[in-house]
Amino acid sequence: VDQESYYRPISTLSLLGEEPMLVGTKFQTVKSCTWKPIVGTSVALPRRSLLLLGGNSGNVSKHCISSCRGERISITLRKQPGPDWRPSLDELTKSSVGKKRQ
């Protein structure tokens, strides 16, 4: 789950490897560093693909990539709020997950 103070969309560029990204709210550990979604889905990330997490998806969904079979380069871009931004107490507590940012 990404901090909701980051502006959307959050972009992930996959340059090497073909491993899928798991997106959901609950995962089961299959073995060390390998998971499968219980509540969620597997999203294919072919080489040179771009995944955009927009809207509320970054606030309510966890996302991960299981251990890779080969080389993998992934670049994730997040736009941070301005330098004068300070988190509110609500943003620092778990109760704020899933609430819309003002």
Side-chain angles (χ1 to χ4, degrees):
V1 177
D2 276 296
Q3 172 57 256
E4 61 187 45
S5 62
Y6 288 120
Y7 295 104
R8 302 296 188 251
I10 295 171
S11 308
T12 298
L13 179 62
S14 183
L15 298 174
L16 291 177
E18 302 267 336
E19 286 77 12
M21 178 177 281
L22 306 178
V23 180
T25 56
K26 188 174 182 180
F27 302 112
Q28 178 183 5
T29 302
V30 177
K31 61 181 180 177
S32 179
C33 297
T34 304
W35 305 275
K36 69 177 184 177
I38 302 299
V39 178
T41 190
S42 178
V43 178
L45 291 179
R47 289 178 57 217
R48 299 182 303 270
S49 64
L50 179 66
L51 174 71
L52 299 175
L53 288 175
N56 204 30
S57 61
N59 297 343
V60 297
S61 295
K62 298 175 186 177
H63 49 280
C64 65
I65 295 180
S66 290
S67 61
C68 301
R69 293 180 296 258
E71 291 183 334
R72 175 170 166 62
I73 296 174
S74 176
I75 300 170
T76 299
L77 304 171
R78 294 173 173 90
K79 183 177 180 183
Q80 295 180 319
D84 59 338
W85 174 85
R86 297 291 179 263
S88 68
L89 184 58
D90 287 343
E91 287 182 301
L92 296 174
T93 63
K94 193 172 184 176
S95 64
S96 70
V97 173
K99 290 183 182 177
K100 188 174 182 178
R101 185 172 58 116
Q102 299 294 333

Short mmCIF file of all heavy atoms in Angstrom, two decimals, residues 36-62:
data_model
loop_
_atom_site.label_atom_id
_atom_site.label_comp_id
_atom_site.label_asym_id
_atom_site.label_seq_id
_atom_site.Cartn_x
_atom_site.Cartn_y
_atom_site.Cartn_z
N LYS A 36 1.25 -15.86 -3.80
CA LYS A 36 0.15 -15.92 -4.75
C LYS A 36 -1.01 -15.14 -4.14
O LYS A 36 -1.17 -15.10 -2.92
CB LYS A 36 -0.25 -17.36 -5.08
CG LYS A 36 -0.92 -18.12 -3.96
CD LYS A 36 -1.33 -19.50 -4.43
CE LYS A 36 -2.08 -20.24 -3.33
NZ LYS A 36 -2.54 -21.54 -3.77
N PRO A 37 -1.80 -14.48 -5.00
CA PRO A 37 -2.90 -13.67 -4.47
C PRO A 37 -4.05 -14.54 -3.98
O PRO A 37 -4.46 -15.47 -4.66
CB PRO A 37 -3.32 -12.79 -5.64
CG PRO A 37 -2.84 -13.52 -6.86
CD PRO A 37 -1.66 -14.34 -6.44
N ILE A 38 -4.55 -14.25 -2.79
CA ILE A 38 -5.77 -14.88 -2.27
C ILE A 38 -6.95 -13.98 -2.61
O ILE A 38 -7.97 -14.45 -3.10
CB ILE A 38 -5.67 -15.09 -0.73
CG1 ILE A 38 -4.46 -15.95 -0.38
CG2 ILE A 38 -6.95 -15.66 -0.16
CD1 ILE A 38 -4.49 -17.34 -0.97
N VAL A 39 -6.81 -12.69 -2.34
CA VAL A 39 -7.79 -11.68 -2.74
C VAL A 39 -7.04 -10.70 -3.62
O VAL A 39 -6.30 -9.85 -3.14
CB VAL A 39 -8.40 -10.96 -1.51
CG1 VAL A 39 -9.39 -9.90 -1.97
CG2 VAL A 39 -9.05 -11.95 -0.57
N GLY A 40 -7.16 -10.87 -4.93
CA GLY A 40 -6.43 -10.02 -5.87
C GLY A 40 -6.20 -10.73 -7.18
O GLY A 40 -6.88 -11.70 -7.51
N THR A 41 -5.21 -10.27 -7.91
CA THR A 41 -4.95 -10.81 -9.24
C THR A 41 -3.46 -10.69 -9.57
O THR A 41 -2.71 -10.02 -8.88
CB THR A 41 -5.79 -10.08 -10.31
OG1 THR A 41 -5.69 -10.78 -11.54
CG2 THR A 41 -5.34 -8.65 -10.50
N SER A 42 -3.06 -11.34 -10.62
CA SER A 42 -1.71 -11.29 -11.14
C SER A 42 -1.75 -10.49 -12.44
O SER A 42 -2.54 -10.80 -13.33
CB SER A 42 -1.21 -12.71 -11.38
OG SER A 42 0.07 -12.69 -11.93
N VAL A 43 -0.93 -9.45 -12.55
CA VAL A 43 -0.91 -8.59 -13.74
C VAL A 43 0.39 -8.85 -14.49
O VAL A 43 1.48 -8.69 -13.94
CB VAL A 43 -0.99 -7.10 -13.34
CG1 VAL A 43 -0.92 -6.20 -14.55
CG2 VAL A 43 -2.24 -6.84 -12.52
N ALA A 44 0.27 -9.25 -15.75
CA ALA A 44 1.46 -9.51 -16.57
C ALA A 44 2.24 -8.22 -16.79
O ALA A 44 1.65 -7.17 -17.07
CB ALA A 44 1.04 -10.11 -17.92
N LEU A 45 3.55 -8.30 -16.63
CA LEU A 45 4.43 -7.15 -16.90
C LEU A 45 5.50 -7.57 -17.90
O LEU A 45 6.63 -7.90 -17.54
CB LEU A 45 5.11 -6.67 -15.61
CG LEU A 45 4.25 -6.00 -14.56
CD1 LEU A 45 5.08 -5.63 -13.35
CD2 LEU A 45 3.56 -4.78 -15.13
N PRO A 46 5.16 -7.59 -19.18
CA PRO A 46 6.15 -7.96 -20.19
C PRO A 46 7.28 -6.92 -20.25
O PRO A 46 7.14 -5.79 -19.76
CB PRO A 46 5.37 -8.00 -21.49
CG PRO A 46 4.08 -7.35 -21.23
CD PRO A 46 3.87 -7.29 -19.76
N ARG A 47 8.40 -7.30 -20.83
CA ARG A 47 9.51 -6.36 -20.99
C ARG A 47 9.04 -5.09 -21.68
O ARG A 47 8.19 -5.12 -22.56
CB ARG A 47 10.62 -7.01 -21.82
CG ARG A 47 11.34 -8.10 -21.07
CD ARG A 47 12.40 -8.79 -21.91
NE ARG A 47 13.37 -7.82 -22.40
CZ ARG A 47 13.93 -7.90 -23.59
NH1 ARG A 47 13.64 -8.88 -24.41
NH2 ARG A 47 14.82 -7.00 -23.96
N ARG A 48 9.58 -3.96 -21.24
CA ARG A 48 9.28 -2.64 -21.79
C ARG A 48 7.81 -2.24 -21.59
O ARG A 48 7.23 -1.53 -22.39
CB ARG A 48 9.67 -2.55 -23.27
CG ARG A 48 11.16 -2.76 -23.49
CD ARG A 48 11.55 -2.64 -24.94
NE ARG A 48 10.85 -3.54 -25.84
CZ ARG A 48 11.25 -4.75 -26.17
NH1 ARG A 48 12.37 -5.22 -25.66
NH2 ARG A 48 10.56 -5.48 -26.99
N SER A 49 7.20 -2.71 -20.48
CA SER A 49 5.81 -2.35 -20.20
C SER A 49 5.75 -1.29 -19.11
O SER A 49 6.69 -1.12 -18.34
CB SER A 49 5.00 -3.58 -19.79
OG SER A 49 5.49 -4.11 -18.57
N LEU A 50 4.63 -0.58 -19.07
CA LEU A 50 4.41 0.47 -18.08
C LEU A 50 3.09 0.18 -17.37
O LEU A 50 2.05 0.03 -18.01
CB LEU A 50 4.36 1.84 -18.74
CG LEU A 50 4.09 3.03 -17.83
CD1 LEU A 50 5.26 3.24 -16.87
CD2 LEU A 50 3.86 4.29 -18.66
N LEU A 51 3.14 0.10 -16.04
CA LEU A 51 1.94 -0.12 -15.24
C LEU A 51 1.63 1.18 -14.50
O LEU A 51 2.52 1.77 -13.88
CB LEU A 51 2.17 -1.24 -14.22
CG LEU A 51 1.04 -1.48 -13.23
CD1 LEU A 51 -0.16 -2.10 -13.92
CD2 LEU A 51 1.50 -2.35 -12.09
N LEU A 52 0.38 1.63 -14.59
CA LEU A 52 -0.05 2.84 -13.89
C LEU A 52 -1.04 2.45 -12.80
O LEU A 52 -2.05 1.81 -13.07
CB LEU A 52 -0.74 3.81 -14.86
CG LEU A 52 0.10 4.32 -16.02
CD1 LEU A 52 -0.75 5.16 -16.97
CD2 LEU A 52 1.29 5.10 -15.53
N LEU A 53 -0.73 2.82 -11.56
CA LEU A 53 -1.66 2.64 -10.45
C LEU A 53 -2.28 4.01 -10.18
O LEU A 53 -1.62 4.91 -9.69
CB LEU A 53 -0.95 2.13 -9.19
CG LEU A 53 -0.48 0.69 -9.21
CD1 LEU A 53 0.31 0.38 -7.94
CD2 LEU A 53 -1.66 -0.26 -9.32
N GLY A 54 -3.54 4.14 -10.54
CA GLY A 54 -4.20 5.43 -10.39
C GLY A 54 -5.33 5.37 -9.39
O GLY A 54 -5.69 4.31 -8.88
N GLY A 55 -5.88 6.52 -9.12
CA GLY A 55 -7.03 6.60 -8.22
C GLY A 55 -6.75 6.01 -6.86
O GLY A 55 -5.69 6.22 -6.28
N ASN A 56 -7.67 5.23 -6.37
CA ASN A 56 -7.59 4.66 -5.03
C ASN A 56 -6.80 3.34 -4.99
O ASN A 56 -6.56 2.80 -3.93
CB ASN A 56 -9.01 4.44 -4.50
CG ASN A 56 -9.06 4.41 -3.00
OD1 ASN A 56 -8.26 5.06 -2.33
ND2 ASN A 56 -10.01 3.67 -2.47
N SER A 57 -6.39 2.82 -6.15
CA SER A 57 -5.74 1.51 -6.19
C SER A 57 -4.48 1.44 -5.35
O SER A 57 -4.20 0.43 -4.72
CB SER A 57 -5.44 1.09 -7.63
OG SER A 57 -4.55 2.00 -8.23
N GLY A 58 -3.71 2.51 -5.31
CA GLY A 58 -2.49 2.52 -4.51
C GLY A 58 -2.76 2.63 -3.02
O GLY A 58 -1.91 2.33 -2.20
N ASN A 59 -3.96 3.08 -2.65
CA ASN A 59 -4.30 3.25 -1.24
C ASN A 59 -4.82 1.97 -0.61
O ASN A 59 -4.65 1.76 0.58
CB ASN A 59 -5.37 4.33 -1.06
CG ASN A 59 -4.90 5.69 -1.51
OD1 ASN A 59 -3.72 5.92 -1.67
ND2 ASN A 59 -5.84 6.58 -1.71
N VAL A 60 -5.51 1.13 -1.38
CA VAL A 60 -6.16 -0.04 -0.79
C VAL A 60 -5.50 -1.36 -1.20
O VAL A 60 -5.74 -2.37 -0.57
CB VAL A 60 -7.67 -0.09 -1.14
CG1 VAL A 60 -8.38 1.11 -0.55
CG2 VAL A 60 -7.89 -0.17 -2.64
N SER A 61 -4.69 -1.35 -2.22
CA SER A 61 -4.09 -2.59 -2.71
C SER A 61 -2.62 -2.67 -2.34
O SER A 61 -1.89 -1.69 -2.42
CB SER A 61 -4.20 -2.69 -4.23
OG SER A 61 -5.54 -2.79 -4.62
N LYS A 62 -2.21 -3.87 -1.98
CA LYS A 62 -0.79 -4.16 -1.83
C LYS A 62 -0.30 -4.61 -3.20
O LYS A 62 -1.08 -5.10 -4.02
CB LYS A 62 -0.58 -5.30 -0.83
CG LYS A 62 -1.06 -4.98 0.57
CD LYS A 62 -0.92 -6.21 1.44
CE LYS A 62 -1.52 -5.97 2.80
NZ LYS A 62 -1.46 -7.16 3.64
#
